[in-house]
């Protein structure tokens, strides 16, 4: 039951994007079209879960027993960077269309703070393996959900008349604010 | 010659001020600006990393092979961030507790990597350090401004001091998550309006 609450909380209540503000750069960058948002969401889900598994293992079996917690930042970012490289190679081979669609944003997953943020949160809260798995996957799904929903709204924004000064990033941020407001409504659940 | 240095020094304060002109580094700008103090602390930490990372990367720019440059940059930046993390824990413990995971997350702040790739990789060390300092200071000022607005209107205080007196009803919305998005959105719009009024080119899209 605890795991269920953890899942709900990570997906909706403490949504990594709208309540913890992680991963905003790609959020604004790739959310102009639903299709790219979908690809990005999938890539983020995959990388986040993999990164959480690897960083968790390194943290609890290498860094912690030997008192090397101060190397956390350095080791985590290296793990994530190499993972992203791997995903890029696989996508290039397996799905040319998706690869072309994501373009420059795939390398940017390295600097997507959502991935790193989940890894750091897992280490900070000292989750065990199962909790880590549930937390990272639901967080990533929550991120994907917010990204895809937002892309849907943004596609409609293009055809509506927005005042000139508010165009672009500005209206996108305000829309994200309203979405975050909607997600606050989930707080009663957990 | 002197002009070039001056140009770089002032560039970060208006022409390239993040996160408004350079729409990078939004996550910390949204996350830690609940109060002016947090915003300023985060901004200064980022500025410190940015100045030194620009200097280090620029010094090593001839040595780093271009194929693995991003990875090398990240290692340099991560090392500097670890130093900041440890220093802050030692000297500003309460602040470092409040900023939490956002301090290690400076590593993935797009501004730092963006300036490394966009400026330090092509320019000599001193100029790169000036650029890092200027963009970093601009970022710190922006975060201070956002933090001040949110704290003054959202909590009625500034750096913990009462601003409006007892009768003021704070707008708690501004301190909450959605408030952060809306504050920055509105500030971007104002900045666009100002730029258009001055007849500057419309940069950010």
């Amino acid at each position: 039951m605890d795991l269920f609450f953890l899942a709900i909380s990570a997906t909706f209540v403490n949504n990594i994007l709208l309540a913890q503000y992680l991963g905003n750069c790609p959020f604004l960058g790739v959310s102009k079209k639903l299709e790219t948002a979908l690809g990005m969401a999938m890539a983020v889900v995959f990388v986040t879960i993999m990164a959480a598994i690897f960083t968790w293992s390194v943290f609890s079996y290498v860094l912690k027993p030997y008192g090397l917690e101060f190397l956390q930042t350095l080791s985590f970012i290296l793990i994530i960077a190499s993972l992203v490289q791997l995903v890029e190679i696989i996508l290039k081979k397996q799905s040319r269309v998706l690869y072309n669609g994501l373009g420059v944003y795939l390398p940017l997953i390295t600097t997507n703070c959502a991935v790193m943020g989940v890894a750091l949160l897992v280490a900070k809260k000292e989750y065990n393996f199962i909790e880590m798995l549930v937390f990272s996957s639901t967080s990533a799904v929550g991120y994907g959900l917010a990204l895809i929903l937002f892309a849907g709204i943004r596609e409609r924004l293009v055809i509506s008349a927005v005042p000139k000064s508010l165009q672009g990033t500005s209206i996108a941020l305000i829309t994200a604010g309203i979405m975050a407001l909607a997600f606050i409504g989930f707080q009663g659940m957990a | 010659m002197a002009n070039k240095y001056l140009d770089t020094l002032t560039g970060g304060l208006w022409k390239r001020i993040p996160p408004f002109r350079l729409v990078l580094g939004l996550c910390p700008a949204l996350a830690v600006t609940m109060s002016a103090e947090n915003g300023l602390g985060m901004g200064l930490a980022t500025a410190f990393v940015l100045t030194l990372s620009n200097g280090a990367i620029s010094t090593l720019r001839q040595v780093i092979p271009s194929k693995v440059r991003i990875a090398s940059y990240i290692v340099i930046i991560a090392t500097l961030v670890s130093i900041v993390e440890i220093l802050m824990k030692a000297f500003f413990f309460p602040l470092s507790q409040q900023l939490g995971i956002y301090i290690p997350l400076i590593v993935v702040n797009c501004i730092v990597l963006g300036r490394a790739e966009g400026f330090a990789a092509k320019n000599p060390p001193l100029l790169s350090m000036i650029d890092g300092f200027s963009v970093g200071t601009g970022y710190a000022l922006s975060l201070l401004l956002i933090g001040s607005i949110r704290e003054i209107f959202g909590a009625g205080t500034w750096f913990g001091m009462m601003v409006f007196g007892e009768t003021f009803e704070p707008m708690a919305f501004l301190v909450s998550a959605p408030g952060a998005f809306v504050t920055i959105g509105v500030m971007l719009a104002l900045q666009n309006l100002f730029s258009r009024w001055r007849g500057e080119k419309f940069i950010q899209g």
Side-chain angles (χ1 to χ4, degrees):
Chain A
M1 212 52 196
D2 280 349
L3 287 179
F4 176 71
F5 281 126
L6 185 67
I8 294 289
S9 141
T11 324
F12 297 111
V13 184
N14 288 320
N15 187 286
I16 195 105
L17 185 64
L18 295 168
Q20 316 236 29
Y21 324 90
L22 295 172
N24 273 291
C25 303
F27 176 59
L28 294 168
V30 294
S31 59
K32 285 188 186 120
K33 274 170 71 187
L34 202 53
E35 208 177 312
T36 38
L38 206 63
M40 184 69 174
M42 274 166 10
V44 168
V45 169
F46 180 68
V47 174
T48 307
I49 297 173
M50 295 286 283
I53 294 173
F54 277 99
T55 50
W56 181 85
S57 317
V58 168
F59 186 74
S60 38
Y61 292 117
V62 182
L63 296 185
K64 232 177 157 192
Y66 296 101
L68 294 170
E69 278 102 337
F70 63 92
L71 284 179
Q72 179 185 313
T73 314
L74 198 61
S75 53
F76 280 19
I77 192 70
L78 282 177
I79 293 170
I80 292 167
S82 33
L83 255 176
V84 170
Q85 202 83 50
L86 190 73
V87 173
E88 198 183 347
I89 294 168
I90 294 172
L91 267 189
K92 211 174 186 175
K93 279 269 181 219
Q94 296 294 323
S95 162
R96 199 72 216 188
V97 186
L98 205 59
Y99 181 77
N100 288 341
L102 288 177
V104 289
Y105 288 104
L106 200 59
L108 275 186
I109 291 189
T110 317
T111 52
N112 185 337
C113 18
V115 179
M116 178 91 169
V118 168
L120 288 169
L121 282 173
V122 166
K124 196 179 162 202
K125 294 187 177 163
E126 298 181 341
Y127 285 138
N128 62 31
F129 186 75
I130 304 288
E131 284 170 335
M132 174 274 293
L133 219 51
V134 171
F135 178 76
S136 64
S137 52
T138 48
S139 289
V141 167
Y143 183 85
L145 181 73
L147 186 64
I148 292 163
L149 285 176
F150 189 63
I153 299 175
R154 238 179 142 181
E155 279 194 342
R156 304 283 297 257
L157 270 181
V158 176
I159 49 168
S160 46
V162 178
K164 240 190 182 145
S165 297
L166 281 167
Q167 272 168 14
T169 321
S170 174
I171 191 75
L173 276 170
I174 293 173
T175 315
I178 296 169
M179 251 180 88
L181 207 55
F183 268 72
I184 279 193
F186 287 118
Q187 258 169 21
M189 280 167 64
Chain B
M1 200 55 195
N3 213 352
K4 197 170 71 180
Y5 288 100
L6 200 67
D7 240 28
T8 317
L9 186 63
T10 52
L13 301 180
W14 173 247
K15 250 189 290 176
R16 284 189 294 272
I17 187 164
F20 299 117
R21 284 304 178 88
L22 230 53
V23 189
L24 293 173
L26 276 176
C27 312
L30 291 161
V32 301
T33 52
M34 265 93 76
S35 68
E37 190 191 348
N38 285 4
L40 186 64
M42 184 71 198
L44 290 180
T46 313
F48 177 78
V49 172
L50 192 55
T51 313
L52 292 181
S53 75
N54 257 11
I57 287 164
S58 169
T59 316
L60 294 171
R61 72 186 189 284
Q62 318 279 15
V63 191
I64 298 173
S66 68
K67 268 199 172 161
V68 291
R69 64 179 195 286
I70 301 288
S72 324
Y73 297 166
I74 287 177
V75 174
I76 295 173
I77 295 166
T79 314
L80 288 165
V81 170
S82 301
I83 295 173
V84 171
E85 218 184 321
I86 294 164
L87 283 179
M88 281 191 82
K89 259 191 201 141
F91 295 108
F92 306 98
F93 190 67
L95 186 64
S96 91
Q97 286 302 96
Q98 289 223 321
L99 296 177
I101 63 162
Y102 293 99
I103 291 285
L105 281 177
I106 297 178
V107 178
V108 285
N109 189 327
C110 340
I111 296 177
V112 183
L113 203 60
R115 288 327 281 171
E117 172 79 358
F119 197 93
K122 299 185 202 103
N123 288 288
L126 183 62
L127 199 63
S128 301
M129 282 185 85
I130 294 175
D131 176 74
F133 177 75
S134 133
V135 173
T137 315
Y139 190 57
L141 288 177
S142 305
L143 289 194
L144 175 65
L145 181 66
I146 301 168
S148 303
I149 291 177
R150 288 181 66 192
E151 195 187 339
I152 291 173
F153 295 107
T157 56
W158 193 57
F159 282 104
M161 294 177 298
M162 285 293 241
V163 176
F164 289 115
E166 299 294 332
T167 49
F168 178 70
E169 187 68 48
M171 294 180 263
F173 169 72
L174 280 179
V175 215
S176 67
F181 285 103
V182 175
T183 312
I184 297 190
V186 170
M187 282 172 78
L188 266 177
L190 288 176
Q191 181 246 316
N192 285 344
L193 193 67
F194 183 68
S195 296
R196 284 198 311 139
W197 171 71
R198 291 219 324 184
E200 282 175 34
K201 223 181 106 222
F202 198 65
I203 304 172
Q204 59 105 113

